[in-house]
Amino acid sequence: MATFPEGAVPNYATWGPRGELYVSDSAQPIVWRVPPRGATPRAWFTAPALEGAEFGTTGLVYRPGR
């Protein structure tokens, strides 16, 4: 189990190659990385381009080699 920081709104998720979980946040321009076994989520990627007008990032796909 992972507990996200206050203000985070976890949305879509995808598994990474080493068992980590990447989760988009529809309230903030952040993609979270949750290590295996549910450790504390950490901001993995942030960028103004992820901000939306009403919602932020609402989708995620892992693409090997990218």
Side-chain angles (χ1 to χ4, degrees), residues 21-54:
L21 186 64
Y22 293 90
V23 183
S24 62
D25 189 325
S26 63
Q28 304 175 81
I30 298 173
V31 175
W32 299 97
R33 179 184 176 272
V34 181
R37 298 183 190 92
T40 303
R42 303 231 183 237
W44 175 74
F45 181 77
T46 64
L50 297 177
E51 290 188 51
E54 188 173 338

Side-chain angles (χ1 to χ4, degrees), residues 11 13 41:
N11 198 344

